[in-house]
């Protein structure tokens, strides 16, 4: 079993899995605390438009997804801050629009040969060295942003009105949270795919809530659980030749059920 670790593709997959798990644990905690799971889902599926744009223009796919996801996050933040009662409709429109743009751009791209299924459902063993470097950059930005603005983000996450009275820019940090969520979505695309990305962002946090009493602890515990899910799912997918993204999520769901059952007892 351990001999597989000598292969470059498995080493890249493990490193990528750890990097994505850290991002998922940190941002997943913010998504749950701020109750913006549906918004994050909208950003995730809208990112497919960025994949289509990258394919059409011949750009790196993760770069195209990043730009499109950030743009979507900013638009969603601007609209939802003004029309909170129409959030569901707005997210539904952005969700459908992003997917439609991606599909059309891919359809009109002559002779494309990209395995798009790996971006929808994940293929962690297909992560390249360049992808690892890109994930490292995204992770660094996420960690630095959280470290610099932790107090402000904590304040608006639990009481935005009080934070506003204290002079904290709720609009700026709300937008920043959505941008960080967008970056986490992009980071997780190659691991679990756009379809399952929200599960990776939320399941570890649901479990961490049993053990954490503050946001920083929740982020750390979520990251550890996400790492366990990712590495376990990776080896299961390799052993049984099944989808890595689905394997990771199945491990997460089973762990969540076990924790809940043991918690009740």
């Amino acid at each position: 079993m351990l001999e597989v670790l000598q292969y470059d593709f498995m080493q890249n997959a493990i490193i990528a899995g750890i990097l994505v798990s850290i991002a998922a644990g940190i941002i997943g905690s913010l998504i749950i605390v701020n109750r913006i799971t549906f918004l994050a889902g909208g950003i995730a599926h809208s990112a497919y438009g960025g994949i289509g744009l990258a394919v059409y223009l011949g750009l790196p796919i993760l770069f195209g997804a990043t730009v499109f996801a950030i743009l979507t996050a900013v638009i969603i933040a601007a609209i939802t801050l003004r029309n909170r009662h129409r959030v569901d409709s707005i997210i539904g429109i952005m969700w459908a629009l992003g997917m439609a743009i991606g599909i059309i751009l891919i359809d009109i791209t002559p002779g494309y040969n990209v395995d798009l299924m790996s971006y929808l459902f994940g293929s962690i063993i297909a992560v390249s060295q360049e992808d690892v470097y890109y994930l490292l950059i995204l992770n660094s930005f996420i960690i630095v942003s959280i470290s610099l603005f932790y107090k402000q983000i904590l304040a608006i996450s639990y009481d935005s009105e009080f934070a506003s009275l204290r002079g904290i820019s709720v609009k700026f940090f709300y937008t920043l949270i959505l941008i960080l969520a967008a970056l986490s979505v992009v980071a997780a695309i190659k691991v679990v795919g756009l379809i399952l990305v929200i599960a990776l962002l939320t399941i570890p946090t649901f479990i961490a809530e049993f053990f954490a009493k503050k946001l920083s602890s929740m982020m750390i515990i979520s990251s550890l659980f996400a790492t366990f899910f990712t590495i376990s799912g990776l080896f299961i997918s390799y052993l049984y030749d099944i989808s890595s993204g689905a394997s990771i999520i199945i491990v997460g769901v089973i762990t969540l059920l076990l924790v809940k059952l043991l918690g009740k007892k």
Side-chain angles (χ1 to χ4, degrees), residues 44-235:
H45 288 79
S46 297
Y48 193 74
I51 293 175
L53 184 63
V55 170
Y56 183 73
L57 296 178
L59 300 172
I61 287 183
L62 289 184
F63 175 76
T66 300
V67 173
F68 207 89
I70 291 176
L71 180 61
T72 301
V74 172
I75 293 173
I76 289 176
I79 296 175
T80 54
L81 281 169
R82 298 178 183 178
N83 302 282
R84 288 187 178 272
H85 61 290
R86 303 299 297 273
V87 169
D88 291 350
S89 300
I90 293 166
I91 299 304
I93 293 170
M94 296 298 295
W95 183 317
L97 179 62
M99 293 292 288
I101 290 174
I103 292 170
I104 291 173
L105 288 174
I106 291 170
D107 284 343
I108 64 176
T109 301
Y112 77 90
N113 57 359
V114 179
D115 180 15
L116 296 175
M117 293 297 289
S118 66
Y119 293 96
L120 288 175
F121 299 101
S123 181
I124 190 172
I125 59 174
V127 172
S128 66
Q129 191 72 46
E130 290 73 20
D131 292 332
V132 170
Y133 291 142
Y134 194 75
L135 291 175
L136 184 60
I137 293 172
L138 292 184
N139 253 43
S140 299
F141 181 79
I142 290 170
I143 293 172
V144 169
S145 298
I146 295 296
S147 300
L148 289 176
F149 303 116
Y150 177 76
K151 291 182 179 180
Q152 294 89 334
I153 290 174
L154 179 67
I156 72 161
S157 295
Y158 286 101
D159 194 338
S160 59
E161 292 184 3
F162 178 73
S164 181
L165 292 174
R166 293 293 300 270
I168 297 174
S169 175
V170 174
K171 291 182 178 180
F172 172 79
F173 288 105
Y174 175 74
T175 304
L176 177 62
I177 290 173
L178 289 187
I179 290 175
L180 294 177
L183 295 178
S184 299
V185 164
V186 172
I189 285 177
K190 289 298 285 280
V191 176
V192 295
L194 291 175
I195 304 298
L196 302 175
V197 65
I198 296 304
L200 183 63
L201 291 174
T202 54
I203 292 174
T205 304
F206 286 145
I207 300 174
E209 287 181 320
F210 284 93
F211 309 101
K213 294 184 178 180
K214 55 183 180 179
L215 182 59
S216 57
S217 300
M218 186 185 297
M219 290 177 174
I220 294 172
I221 295 171
S222 297
S223 297
L224 293 175
F225 272 108
T227 301
F228 169 70
F229 301 158
T230 303
I231 302 303
S232 300
L234 170 61
F235 280 100

Side-chain angles (χ1 to χ4, degrees), residues 34-49:
N34 285 276
R35 299 178 182 178
I36 55 173
T37 304
F38 191 47
L39 272 70
I43 294 172
H45 288 79
S46 297
Y48 193 74

